[in-house]
Amino acid sequence: MPNAIEVVNVSKRYRIGAKAPNSIREAITGRLAWRTPADPEREVWSLRDVSFNVEAGEVVGVIGRNGAGKSTLLKVLSRITEPTTGVTRTRGRVASLLEVGTGFHAELTGRENVYLNGAILGLTRREIGDRFDAIVEFSGVGRYIDTPIKRYSSGMYLRLAFAVAAHVEPDVLIVDEVLAVGDAEFQRKCLAGMGAVGAQGRTVLLVSHDLDAIARLCPRSLWFDGGVLRLDGDTQDVIDAYLQSTRDGGGEQLEVEDARGRVLLHAVRTVDPSGQSTNILRRDRPFDVEVDISVRERIPGLDIALFLVNQRGARVFDEVWSDVAPTRAEAPGRYVASITVPPLLNAGDYAIGVWIGQGYEEILSAEAATNFTLEGSSKGRPDRIVELLLPWQCRPVDDDAQHQQPAASHQHRR
Amino acid sequence: MAEQLAPPQPGGRWVENRPSRGFRAIDLREMWAYRELALSLALRDLKVRYKQAAFGVAWAILQPLVGAAVFTFVFARMADISSGTIPYVLFAFVGTTVWAFHSSAVTSGTESLVENSLLVTKIYYPKLVSPLASCLTPLVDLGISLVVLAVLLPIYGVNPGVEVLALPVAIALLFLVSFSFALWFSALNVRYRDVRYVVRFGIQIWLFISPVAYPLQLVSQPWRTLYVVNPMVGVLDLMRWSLVDGPAPGWGTLGSLLVALVVLLTGLAYFQRTESRFADVI
């Protein structure tokens, strides 16, 4: 197949800090200083000499830590920002879904937003009209389509937004982490939709922290690390290498911050029952996962999710704070949020990811924030993910059995 | 399927993204392809404005009427300003109508990129669409005001002559002036947020140094000649000539057109030059 995406020696530099003036006064008073050569310490290379090609019809995953350059790559490919050096080429209609519901306006009705969002994604009114019924059906919003979306639940909002995006029918689809939002049912629908997109011969580039989804959808993946394309190849190999690298790093002290400096993630730790922070835990004991964060400003609806990925890339669970605690810490300060994991996981290596957000909006995330090993025997059954030791019941259903085992019916009432 | 769509980029064509150097020409074909986005954004702003407003469109009728009434009271009754042969109410109504458009287009145009920063940072589109859409929205209010004027004219016994045929030209010049300034300010505002404050009170000052409430004839020399650099002078002259039988526009209108074109071309140049960095600095 011919190429649909070509990336040739692309680098992207961002200047941060006070060198560039942000107000007219600074521009005037700092005019002389401003022209001096750029301070290299105030430069960040989000992408460094990245080259790769994607053939038409390929579905390619992009993985890497926060700040690895994934989002910058998507922005350059979508032509939202220019590369500092190098060139990207895309063929045909490109739709970039860097955010679900870009341009949605709370005051407008679902119908009005579908047309607006469609126009933003590059559809003409007629094209949206042709797809309108399909979009409404996909979204499941139904009779609320003429209600202002400020009255929608966040789930309805997301479903409608994704429904529009799913009907753009581009030649090249660029998706950033839209799977991180929404409930399980919605995610399944999105994945099905995206699988269908790939099957129709469209080219897809998918960034996700959900390694499981990447593994299912993308035969090939790219791993970015510090702006550099570390590995390009078969998804399973790339995920293995990626998880391996984070294991080597220990991941004890992260000290990562979001772009606006609202939240600083100090560390994600695993703690054994004696209170000792360690990466080696016993599978027959409970353990705690702690998220150590500093919140710099009041963030209403601050939410944390923890997810556990096993060595085969399957997401064993994700636990979201807001699912169980409607009121959460809002005031600035340093917090340790933790969950206790009961002893039910099989022995093996695990990675823990963390997502910190406000409502559905991500503030920062680290998908392999720390790793740990559950020591112990898998009791000869390495394939099972959990061992629940659920109680068994046995109830006789024919006369013979009832006569022979009169006590059986009492057994399960213990 | 993809072939049936009329995509912004024709299917199968390679689109490149590489570092830009210096000035680029405006891609008019691309702007045309994105015309529906401009209309959709303008329509959004219009709808949002009148959502949950009990009187809805009545506000669009009331605003220029109240403005003209206030001007009539202050300038014609108290300051005894003469508007020549034109009834002062009509004179002021045209003035406030033109100014309402200009003020709304320039101030919302200034904010058009910053207010839509999510669009700028998440979606590719020719950014010129944003200030353009902001200038399209107040056209609706202008249209409503003109309908109100059509009702007022016979009440005051003014019969517009063939000059009314020049109305589209007058509106085009008004749009050109407002859009040119919106273009400059929207791009500057991405970089320097001071611009919005400067624009907000700058528009107020501009109102008083424009013949909105008073005729240009009342301005003494040499100031009157200096007024040529104010492109709104030509717009107001042209509007009043075409609508309420005002004096015929002179060379000053041509001067206004020239000034507007200079602002437009420099604005386009600045916009095109900084556009590639909008997403990075906004």
Side-chain angles (χ1 to χ4, degrees):
Chain A
M1 286 292 269
N3 286 338
I5 301 175
E6 294 180 2
V7 176
V8 186
N9 303 115
V10 166
S11 296
K12 175 72 184 176
R13 176 187 59 205
Y14 282 104
R15 289 207 175 86
I16 52 166
K19 278 294 172 194
N22 284 314
S23 73
I24 292 173
R25 189 171 62 87
E26 280 174 45
I28 295 166
T29 58
R31 191 76 194 169
L32 294 172
W34 186 32
R35 287 293 174 195
T36 55
D39 181 352
E41 292 203 353
R42 300 231 174 248
E43 291 182 355
V44 175
W45 288 90
S46 284
L47 291 174
R48 266 183 289 202
D49 203 24
V50 172
S51 299
F52 63 91
N53 293 330
V54 178
E55 284 180 12
E58 260 193 295
V59 179
V60 177
V62 180
I63 60 174
R65 274 174 185 270
N66 255 32
K70 297 168 300 194
S71 296
T72 307
L73 173 74
L74 298 198
K75 281 189 177 180
V76 172
L77 278 174
S78 321
R79 294 199 295 153
I80 292 164
T81 186
E82 283 182 354
T84 308
T85 60
V87 58
T88 65
R89 296 187 194 94
T90 47
R91 194 157 60 179
R93 186 206 288 246
V94 178
S96 46
L97 259 179
L98 304 197
E99 186 190 56
V100 178
T102 305
F104 262 38
H105 200 291
E107 296 282 347
L108 300 180
T109 66
R111 181 186 303 273
E112 289 165 337
N113 271 304
V114 166
Y115 277 91
L116 177 63
N117 194 228
I120 287 169
L121 293 174
L123 295 177
T124 64
R125 275 193 89 74
R126 232 190 59 213
E127 286 169 352
I128 304 163
D130 292 345
R131 294 162 169 74
F132 188 80
D133 292 339
I135 290 173
V136 175
E137 196 189 331
F138 186 95
S139 71
V141 167
R143 64 198 173 89
Y144 294 104
I145 193 67
D146 288 312
T147 305
I149 60 165
K150 62 182 174 183
R151 315 239 181 268
Y152 281 22
S153 70
S154 47
M156 281 165 73
Y157 174 96
L158 286 168
R159 285 203 305 275
L160 184 65
F162 190 85
V164 182
H167 288 82
V168 173
E169 302 179 11
D171 300 309
V172 177
L173 179 64
I174 294 173
V175 187
D176 191 3
E177 205 55 83
V178 285
L179 298 171
V181 294
D183 52 25
E185 164 66 23
F186 172 70
Q187 287 190 359
R188 256 199 303 281
K189 213 166 169 180
C190 293
L191 288 173
M194 233 166 310
V197 164
Q200 285 161 20
R202 297 181 208 286
T203 313
V204 184
L205 207 63
L206 171 68
V207 165
S208 182
H209 293 301
D210 188 344
L211 297 178
D212 203 18
I214 295 266
R216 261 182 294 147
L217 287 172
C218 314
R220 172 187 165 198
S221 287
L222 312 172
W223 165 29
F224 281 84
D225 189 20
V228 176
L229 177 56
R230 276 278 289 270
L231 196 61
D232 172 356
D234 180 68
T235 294
Q236 202 51 58
D237 299 342
V238 174
I239 289 178
D240 285 349
Y242 170 55
L243 289 178
Q244 187 60 44
S245 82
T246 53
R247 202 162 291 137
D248 296 342
E252 294 289 273
Q253 288 300 314
L254 289 164
E255 305 297 341
V256 288
E257 200 177 18
D258 68 301
R260 285 166 57 190
R262 294 199 291 172
V263 172
L264 172 64
L265 174 62
H266 297 291
V268 176
R269 288 184 290 263
T270 41
V271 179
D272 70 13
S274 70
Q276 183 68 41
S277 170
T278 171
N279 286 357
I280 311 289
L281 296 152
R282 287 178 55 172
R283 68 159 291 197
D284 55 353
R285 302 267 177 87
F287 63 93
D288 286 358
V289 181
E290 294 185 348
V291 183
D292 185 358
I293 56 167
S294 285
V295 181
R296 259 72 171 274
E297 62 184 59
R298 210 180 88 83
I299 303 173
L302 177 72
D303 204 356
I304 302 177
L306 279 169
F307 49 92
L308 193 84
V309 179
N310 71 7
Q311 55 207 359
R312 274 173 288 159
R315 185 180 284 219
V316 179
F317 64 69
D318 52 20
E319 295 294 317
V320 185
W321 198 4
S322 59
D323 284 348
V324 291
T327 53
R328 304 176 295 277
E330 284 185 358
R334 186 164 178 166
Y335 299 93
V336 173
S338 66
I339 55 171
T340 300
V341 182
L344 49 79
L345 299 173
N346 205 345
D349 293 333
Y350 293 87
I352 295 178
V354 61
W355 177 96
I356 300 169
Q358 180 176 22
Y360 284 111
E361 192 188 327
E362 175 177 307
I363 295 175
L364 70 84
S365 67
E367 69 270 36
T370 188
N371 302 278
F372 65 92
T373 303
L374 279 185
E375 296 279 4
S377 167
S378 56
K379 301 177 188 170
R381 292 195 296 255
D383 285 342
R384 62 181 176 183
I385 295 171
V386 293
E387 183 191 44
L388 299 178
L389 297 174
L390 301 174
W392 282 78
Q393 290 127 40
C394 181
R395 159 172 72 82
V397 291
D398 64 16
D399 289 348
D400 283 357
Q402 261 170 9
H403 289 304
Q404 281 164 21
Q405 286 191 304
S409 58
H410 296 285
Q411 195 72 42
H412 72 276
R413 285 195 209 136
R414 73 194 145 116
Chain B
M1 186 70 201
E3 268 67 36
Q4 290 173 23
L5 314 176
Q9 298 95 28
R13 193 159 72 94
W14 282 101
V15 179
E16 280 198 347
N17 186 12
R18 56 166 74 235
S20 58
R21 302 264 179 269
F23 298 101
R24 289 176 303 166
I26 308 153
D27 192 342
L28 287 176
R29 232 180 65 191
E30 189 182 45
M31 282 300 290
W32 179 247
Y34 277 90
R35 66 193 183 280
E36 292 214 6
L37 178 58
L39 285 175
S40 295
L41 290 175
L43 205 61
R44 172 195 70 178
D45 291 345
L46 195 70
K47 280 177 180 164
V48 167
R49 190 136 49 100
Y50 293 116
K51 286 268 156 132
Q52 288 202 0
F55 293 99
V57 185
W59 291 115
I61 299 170
L62 214 59
Q63 268 171 353
L65 277 177
V66 170
V70 170
F71 273 27
T72 305
F73 181 73
V74 174
F75 291 98
R77 292 284 152 76
M78 297 177 73
D80 204 20
I81 282 174
S82 158
S83 50
T85 55
I86 315 164
Y88 186 84
V89 177
L90 295 184
F91 178 89
F93 188 85
V94 175
T96 49
T97 296
V98 167
W99 201 262
F101 175 87
H102 183 60
S103 158
S104 166
V106 173
T107 47
S108 65
T110 302
E111 299 284 345
S112 61
L113 290 167
V114 172
E115 290 274 298
N116 291 304
S117 60
L118 275 181
L119 228 54
V120 174
T121 55
K122 300 288 184 192
I123 290 286
Y124 172 80
Y125 68 102
K127 305 295 182 292
L128 268 175
V129 163
S130 285
L132 186 66
S134 293
C135 293
L136 290 177
T137 311
L139 275 180
V140 175
D141 300 87
L142 182 69
I144 292 170
S145 290
L146 289 177
V147 172
V148 175
L149 182 69
V151 175
L152 288 180
L153 283 176
I155 296 176
Y156 286 90
V158 175
N159 288 320
V162 284
E163 294 92 343
V164 82
L165 294 175
L167 183 61
V169 180
I171 293 174
L173 183 63
L174 169 62
F175 189 89
L176 179 74
V177 172
S178 303
F179 175 67
S180 303
F181 281 92
L183 197 59
W184 257 110
F185 295 145
S186 62
L188 278 170
N189 197 35
V190 169
R191 190 72 169 147
Y192 312 106
R193 295 293 148 81
D194 316 55
V195 171
R196 57 162 66 130
Y197 305 110
V198 174
V199 167
R200 243 176 258 163
F201 69 71
I203 281 278
Q204 303 277 335
I205 297 170
W206 197 352
L207 166 67
F208 289 106
I209 58 172
S210 299
V212 175
Y214 54 86
L216 189 60
Q217 287 70 29
L218 288 190
V219 181
S220 58
Q221 290 293 4
W223 303 113
R224 203 197 293 186
T225 313
L226 211 61
Y227 263 57
V228 170
V229 298
N230 178 357
M232 287 306 284
V233 172
V235 172
L236 286 159
D237 279 358
L238 207 55
M239 277 284 187
R240 287 187 177 126
W241 172 66
S242 103
L243 286 172
V244 291
D245 216 6
W251 290 105
T253 308
L254 207 61
S256 294
L257 179 65
L258 282 177
V259 172
L261 284 177
V262 169
V263 176
L264 177 73
L265 293 176
T266 53
L268 280 175
Y270 180 73
F271 198 95
Q272 289 294 104
R273 206 183 157 84
T274 50
E275 181 177 1
S276 61
R277 313 240 316 129
F278 283 168
D280 298 342
V281 298
I282 203 161

